[in-house]
């Protein structure tokens, strides 16, 4: 099973962002809409994982 960490999520977000821009260029709004939904989900996961990985200040 893959380890889902900040680096992995960042990579997936960048790949999805490229797909969104390509679909916009092609004029396929349906793909853009679905990919933005997934993009938002990944962003929220990334923010959640960063919040868990923060070390408390001494």
């Amino acid at each position: 099973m893959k380890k889902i960490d900040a680096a992995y999520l960042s990579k997936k977000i960048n790949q999805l962002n490229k797909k969104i821009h390509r679909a916009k260029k092609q004029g396929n709004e349906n793909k853009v809409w679905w990919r933005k939904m997934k993009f938002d989900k990944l962003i929220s996961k990334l923010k959640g994982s960063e919040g868990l990985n923060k070390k408390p200040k001494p």
Side-chain angles (χ1 to χ4, degrees):
M1 185 161 178
K2 281 194 181 266
K3 183 179 178 185
I4 300 177
D5 57 352
Y8 176 78
L9 288 174
S10 295
K11 179 182 174 185
K12 289 297 176 184
I13 288 169
N14 288 337
Q15 288 175 344
L16 195 56
N17 202 19
K18 288 179 185 178
K19 287 183 177 184
I20 290 170
H21 288 293
R22 194 175 318 127
K24 278 184 184 177
K25 207 179 237 187
Q26 294 172 351
N28 194 339
E29 292 301 317
N30 193 35
K31 281 187 180 179
V32 171
W33 185 79
W34 281 107
R35 288 175 176 162
K36 280 187 177 182
M37 295 268 291
K38 190 170 183 179
F39 180 81
D40 292 339
K41 185 178 177 182
L42 287 175
I43 290 289
S44 66
K45 274 188 181 181
L46 179 65
K47 288 182 180 178
S49 70
E50 286 177 351
L52 294 175
N53 292 335
K54 288 184 180 175
K55 294 180 182 176
K57 293 181 180 178

